[in-house]
Amino acid sequence: MRNLIRAMGFIWLSVGWSVCYATSVLVPVNASWKYYDLPQPPNEEWVKMDFDDSGWSSGKGQLGYGEGDEQTILAKEHEGQPVLAHYFRHKFSFVQNLKINELKLRLVVDDGVRIYLNGVEVHRRLLAESAKQGGNFALGSLIEHSWYEVVLDSSITLKRDNIVAVEVRQVSSNSSDLSFNLELIAE
């Protein structure tokens, strides 16, 4: 009987330990995204939850063109004009009583990227700090097909309903490809 009680206690501690460090995938790899792929930028409110994206297209990640590994092919040009910036939105829910130690982004992106969470910029890579929406080219390009990871600032809080908004910019007007995929993880 004593061994049974010890075993039950060990199981309880093991389960409790794993729950404390559980990982929640908030936005999965290859998620479905609303996207905008026209030459002129959308209304600057596009990063906010209540923005009406009903006119935007939908598709699953990886999104892009020119690599052959895309699930959703985006426009490279529209009516003869190159599309230099592409915009993506994904809504997700979060159980507010879960404790988060870290929020991690995992990304595949070509070329530069700016990411917003609930209307606040949380990450930028290969875009000048002074860059305005749709105005500048990316400063370089990452290794294609490679995921990179970033831990977000610990002051970020999630709500019951959330929006990830992403802007991906080309490095030049004659860039041959674009890639985007994202995973958001709470630990």
Side-chain angles (χ1 to χ4, degrees):
M1 183 67 154
R2 186 177 292 178
N3 287 340
L4 177 62
I5 292 171
R6 279 188 198 156
M8 301 263 307
F10 178 73
I11 290 170
W12 180 81
L13 285 173
S14 297
V15 170
W17 185 264
S18 65
V19 170
C20 290
Y21 294 99
T23 298
S24 295
V25 177
L26 303 175
V27 178
V29 172
N30 299 331
S32 184
W33 291 82
K34 294 287 243 168
Y35 66 89
Y36 180 88
D37 60 351
L38 295 174
Q40 65 280 0
N43 176 310
E44 62 186 34
E45 299 291 308
W46 72 276
V47 300
K48 297 185 178 175
M49 175 63 86
D50 59 355
F51 176 78
D52 180 9
D53 60 11
S54 61
W56 289 30
S57 300
S58 294
K60 290 190 169 231
Q62 178 169 329
L63 299 103
Y65 60 83
E67 292 292 325
D69 57 356
E70 303 88 2
Q71 286 195 66
T72 302
I73 306 295
L74 303 175
K76 181 178 179 178
E77 64 177 33
H78 180 76
E79 297 178 356
Q81 287 186 288
V83 179
L84 303 177
H86 291 72
Y87 302 87
F88 307 92
R89 290 170 48 88
H90 180 85
K91 294 179 181 177
F92 68 94
S93 297
F94 177 70
V95 179
Q96 291 184 296
N97 60 354
L98 288 178
K99 179 166 174 21
I100 297 176
N101 291 322
E102 284 185 338
L103 271 178
K104 289 183 184 178
L105 276 174
R106 292 186 62 242
L107 295 153
V108 168
V109 66
D110 179 17
D111 293 312
V113 67
R114 182 166 43 176
I115 300 174
Y116 299 86
L117 185 53
N118 297 326
V120 176
E121 185 175 331
V122 295
H123 177 67
R124 178 188 296 238
R125 182 109 184 229
L126 294 174
L127 293 180
E129 287 298 320
S130 63
K132 296 284 185 210
Q133 176 180 323
N136 297 13
F137 290 115
L139 301 173
S141 184
L142 297 168
I143 298 171
E144 296 169 8
H145 311 291
S146 294
W147 287 84
Y148 77 90
E149 186 174 291
V150 62
V151 176
L152 298 179
D153 188 288
S154 62
S155 67
I156 294 170
T157 57
L158 297 177
K159 302 174 184 176
R160 178 178 297 239
D161 296 313
N162 301 274
I163 181 83
V164 176
V166 180
E167 178 181 1
V168 176
R169 291 200 207 155
Q170 295 289 27
V171 72
S172 72
S173 60
N174 59 359
S175 182
S176 63
D177 58 2
L178 180 131
S179 299
F180 170 68
N181 209 342
L182 178 148
E183 182 178 36
L184 180 62
I185 301 166
E187 293 185 337

